[in-house]
Amino acid sequence: GEGASTRDTIDTPMNLGTNYHKGPFEWAQQIGVAKIEQLLSKLSEQDERYLVANALKEEVRQLR
C-alpha cells in the first residue's frame, strides 16, 4: 500500500527465494481477490495477523 514494491518484486522472490510455486499475486490472479479477501476476513476474526490490507480491499471494491 505504500508503493515500496511491485507485484513482480514480491512474486519473484517468493518463487525463487522460498521455492513457492506461485507468488501471492499469481495466486490472487488464479483464485480471485474477492475469495482471498473473504478468507482473510474470516481468519482475522481469530488472529489479527490476517487483517485485510487496504490495497486488497480497494482492488475488490473496484471489481464490484
Side-chain angles (χ1 to χ4, degrees):
E2 297 173 359
S5 58
T6 65
R7 292 172 184 236
D8 286 339
T9 61
I10 293 171
D11 277 344
T12 300
M14 291 301 290
N15 294 140
L16 301 175
T18 63
N19 204 27
Y20 282 14
H21 178 68
K22 296 179 187 232
F25 291 101
E26 291 171 303
W27 278 117
Q29 187 174 19
Q30 182 176 343
I31 298 168
V33 292
K35 287 183 181 179
I36 292 172
E37 181 192 35
Q38 289 172 350
L39 174 62
L40 290 172
S41 293
K42 189 68 173 168
L43 289 170
S44 70
E45 293 173 7
Q46 299 297 317
D47 190 333
E48 66 181 32
R49 292 182 298 166
Y50 298 104
L51 290 173
V52 181
N54 288 332
L56 180 59
K57 289 178 186 177
E58 179 61 24
E59 192 166 336
V60 171
R61 188 190 68 73
Q62 289 177 8
L63 292 174
R64 293 182 177 154

